[in-house]
Each structure stands twice: as C-alpha cells, then as structure tokens.
Amino acid sequence: MKTRFLVIAAAVMIGFYAGCDTQIMGIKFGKGTNMNISKESFGKTPDDKLVDLYTLTNGNDMTVKITNYGGIITNLMVPDRDGKIDDVVLGFDTLEEYLAGHPYFGAIAGRYANRIAKGKFTLDGVEYNLAVNNGENHLHGGIVGFDKVVWTAVPGKARSDRVMLTLTYLSKDGEEGYPGNLNCTVVYELTADNELKITYKATTDKATVLNLTNHSYFNLAGQASGDILGHVLTLNANYFTPVDEGLIPTGQLDSVRGTVFDFTSPHTIGERLNDVPMTGGYDHNFCLNSQDGSLAWCATVYEPETGRVLEIETTQPGVQFYTGNFLDGSNKGKGTTYNKHNGFCLETQHWPDSPNKPHFPSAVLEPGRTYDEVTIFKFSTK
Ligand code: BGC
C-alpha cells in the first residue's frame, strides 16, 4: 500500500515538473504530451517552388496544419464541450485551390496588413509608391503579399509543453514598392494548453513600414456550419477607427459607447450587424485598451451550440474585426461553399493606414530595431 502511494506520488511529481502526461495504473497526471510535428508534400508553385504542409498536434486533441505557402493555417482542429473535434477555420484541401486565389484565408498578411491609402506614404522625406490592388488603395502587402510567397520552414523539436514551426522570409528592398531588405520570422507554436501562439519578428536595413498579422477566418461551430452571426463576441476596445467608402480610416477615433461597435460587454455578432453603416457588416479596426506593447487581453468569442471559446491576447495596439462580408459563394472550401458571414476574422495589428496618419501608433521599423509582436489564440469550452 505504502509502495503504491510512493509510486503514485513520484508520478505526480514527475508529471508536474515535466508539465507532461504520466500514466500509472490507468491514472493520468499532468498535461497532455504526444506533442508532434510532421511534414508532407503540398505540391509546387507555378515557378516550381516546393511547398509543404506541416501538421502540429498536442496531447489534447488539438491539431493545426500550416503550409509554408503564405504561412497559411489550412486546418485547425479543436474539441467542443462534448469532445467532438471539428475544423474551425475556413480554407481548402489543396495547394491548387490556394493558388487559384482566395480572400487571404489563414494567411500571413504583410508587409503591411490592411490598407494604405492610394498606395502611398512618405518616410524620412521620401515618397514611396506601393502596388495598388484594392480599388485605388493598397491592401495586405500588394499584388504578391506575404500570403503568396513561399516561406522557408524549420520544424522545431517537440517539447513536453509545445511544438513549433518557424517560418522565415526575406522581403527584398523595393518588393511591392516597400523600402528596405526585411528579414521576417514568424513562429507558430501549439501548446499543451490548447493555445496557438504566433510570434512575429523582423529587422530591416532601411527604415520601412511594417504590419504583420494572421488572416484566419474562424467559425467556432465548424468551418462548414454556415454563418457566424450567433457567436458571442467581447472586445477589449473602447474606441474604433471609422472609415470612408474605400475602407480607409478617416483619422478620427470614435467611442464605441452606445453604438453597434460596442462589444465591451458580450453581444452576438449578428445582433446589430445590419445596422453597421456602409460596409455590409463589420470591417473595422478597434483600438485596443492596452496600448503599451505588453501582452494583453484582446477578445473573447463564444459559440453557444458547441461551447467552444476562443480567447485572444496580443501585444498589438489594434484588431481588425471583419465578418466575411465579401464572401459570396465563389470559394468552395473543405467540402462546403463559403457564403457571406460564414467566418469572422480578428486580425491583431497596427491600425490601417498608419503610415499616413501620424497620430496613430507608429508602424515604422528602423534599422537596428527588432519588430517583435505576439498573438495568442487560446481555445477552451464552457
Ligand atoms: C479587410 C477586408 C478585406 C478582407 C479580405 C480584411 O482584413 O479588412 O476589407 O475584404 O481582409 O481581403
């Protein structure tokens, strides 16, 4: 009896210190292990670059698949409150479908995520002209943004509490009109606590502007389950940046209080969506209440049918809340068709058009400095 107690106590201690699974006499202690990363071929680009698909798994039924084409998260498998696992991001099964064009499903958006008015900005007295790819404006890095390039991928060694994939990309001076050779690193980590952590780092050899985000479209009821209007959203934002017809911020900061933009207490996404002026749904930057660059709570989304909860923390000063207003049925996804409002994005980032808005948080990166931002997507149920 005494020996049995000592064995169990030792197992608990080992599990505790290693942060890992310990299975003794059918009793499970500590957190899930089974951390794993595997790689398979995903095909090649028209210019013959080989593309891979990486699968990261943890011991808690969470799996994320990431391709080094655009750093795209293609699948994100998450359990619901009954343990049923479903894919909660929009996307495709094949590289060909991504190559055929899509609205940034799961991709890394950059060099500047979201819009820069008329594709122009001035830095240190020099005017730069960027690729114009959205009406008269520049969107998500231009014609060939970071979502359409092949990143170099290095899988990390799985640890007891996390598994990671590191992606790097050198964006050359002049690419899409941006100044400076920019060395970018994006690290995707899946943890034993069902977190997907994304770390973005970059350095440049000439002053430039930079805004990196991940453009996943979530549907916490499952990617094939229709609209996201019943999801309940809370945002840590007392202000937002209103936009003009081209979705460029007017430069004002408006209080959300008493408006359809007030998610400081929980509201379903659909409740006031038809009253959002102009944009056919939400497509706005929210100014996060934490502006000091520390990792802070950004948003919580709850899906009542499945009980899935997504909590987001970020170091960024803003989040673009987009309700898939331009999804029009033309993208046939993973065994389904994506229609208007079938997914929502919460793109943590600097505010749109900051390079032309000196009173917005600066998105300038100078040589000798390191761009360093973190966003965590944490999944649970209730
Ligand atoms: C933008 C939308 C755009 C979507 C897909 C979002 O980040 O705010 O206006 O349609 O990305 O490109």
Side-chain angles (χ1 to χ4, degrees):
M1 193 60 204
K2 202 169 166 193
T3 320
R4 189 173 166 201
F5 172 77
L6 283 173
V7 170
I8 292 173
V12 172
M13 293 301 283
I14 293 164
F16 180 75
Y17 283 114
C20 67
D21 241 13
T22 308
Q23 192 113 23
I24 299 264
M25 289 182 261
I27 308 169
K28 210 174 178 191
F29 302 101
K31 294 170 182 166
T33 48
N34 303 334
M35 289 288 171
N36 194 33
I37 182 162
S38 62
K39 167 177 147 177
E40 64 196 281
S41 168
F42 203 40
K44 58 182 177 182
T45 60
D47 57 346
D48 275 347
K49 291 204 175 93
L50 292 176
V51 174
D52 292 313
L53 184 66
Y54 293 84
T55 303
L56 285 66
T57 52
N58 72 3
N60 292 326
D61 294 332
M62 208 174 134
T63 300
V64 54
K65 286 181 188 263
I66 300 161
T67 169
N68 60 327
Y69 175 73
I72 294 171
I73 297 173
T74 62
N75 305 75
L76 185 56
M77 311 300 292
V78 181
D80 72 3
R81 67 161 78 85
D82 300 319
K84 184 174 162 279
I85 296 164
D86 210 339
D87 190 349
V88 299
V89 291
L90 278 51
F92 303 108
D93 289 320
T94 65
L95 177 63
E96 288 65 38
E97 289 164 292
Y98 285 105
L99 291 170
H102 64 104
Y104 302 87
F105 287 149
I108 298 171
R111 190 182 288 202
Y112 199 94
N114 213 284
R115 293 177 176 79
I116 296 180
K118 302 196 167 61
K120 283 185 200 305
F121 66 94
T122 301
L123 188 56
D124 297 337
V126 179
E127 186 183 86
Y128 292 97
N129 287 287
L130 306 173
V132 166
N133 62 326
N134 185 250
E136 59 177 7
N137 300 319
H138 175 88
L139 175 67
H140 296 323
I143 295 160
V144 184
F146 289 3
D147 60 296
K148 294 183 192 70
V149 300
V150 176
W151 294 65
T152 302
V154 181
K157 205 163 166 277
R159 301 195 335 217
S160 59
D161 62 342
R162 64 196 56 232
V163 61
M164 65 178 78
L165 178 69
T166 300
L167 301 177
T168 55
Y169 176 65
L170 168 64
S171 170
K172 299 236 175 84
D173 189 11
E175 192 174 294
E176 299 296 305
Y178 289 99
N181 289 296
L182 185 78
N183 266 300
C184 293
T185 302
V186 176
V187 182
Y188 286 103
E189 284 175 82
L190 176 64
T191 75
D193 292 327
N194 282 5
E195 292 167 340
L196 177 63
K197 177 177 177 186
I198 312 180
T199 306
Y200 305 86
K201 288 197 198 259
T203 54
T204 183
D205 60 3
K206 204 189 224 181
T208 190
V209 295
L210 175 60
N211 191 26
L212 300 177
T213 194
N214 179 273
H215 206 295
S216 285
Y217 289 66
F218 297 98
N219 186 330
L220 299 182
Q223 56 91 29
S225 66
D227 72 60
I228 44 77
L229 303 181
H231 286 52
V232 181
L233 171 68
T234 319
L235 278 175
N236 187 19
N238 294 345
Y239 289 85
F240 76 106
T241 49
V243 288
D244 66 18
E245 318 74 57
L247 294 172
I248 298 292
T250 59
Q252 277 164 256
L253 265 65
D254 281 5
S255 168
V256 298
R257 187 175 286 263
T259 75
V260 297
F261 300 98
D262 192 348
F263 286 94
T264 55
S265 60
H267 286 274
T268 63
I269 291 177
E271 192 182 320
R272 302 159 300 176
L273 178 134
N274 290 328
D275 299 325
V276 177
M278 276 178 345
T279 45
Y282 295 95
D283 194 353
H284 293 80
N285 167 66
F286 286 74
C287 312
L288 293 172
N289 292 339
S290 170
Q291 291 284 322
D292 63 1
S294 63
L295 190 64
W297 173 61
C298 162
T300 300
V301 192
Y302 168 60
E303 202 289 301
E305 300 287 317
T306 60
R308 288 195 185 91
V309 178
L310 167 61
E311 280 170 274
I312 304 178
E313 289 183 339
T314 190
T315 55
Q316 293 272 18
V319 64
Q320 182 79 12
F321 173 44
Y322 172 56
T323 45
N325 313 329
F326 297 117
L327 296 175
D328 58 4
S330 56
N331 291 117
K332 314 273 178 242
K334 295 171 272 192
T336 188
T337 297
Y338 298 129
N339 293 307
K340 195 169 184 178
H341 308 317
N342 279 189
F344 68 89
C345 303
L346 284 165
E347 304 151 56
T348 54
Q349 57 180 25
H350 271 62
W351 306 352
D353 202 31
S354 297
N356 293 307
K357 303 275 186 315
H359 59 298
F360 283 7
S362 171
V364 173
L365 180 68
E366 302 279 355
R369 313 280 305 200
T370 300
Y371 173 95
D372 189 358
E373 302 283 356
V374 173
T375 295
I376 298 178
F377 298 93
K378 183 174 168 90
F379 292 88
S380 60
T381 58
K382 72 172 187 187

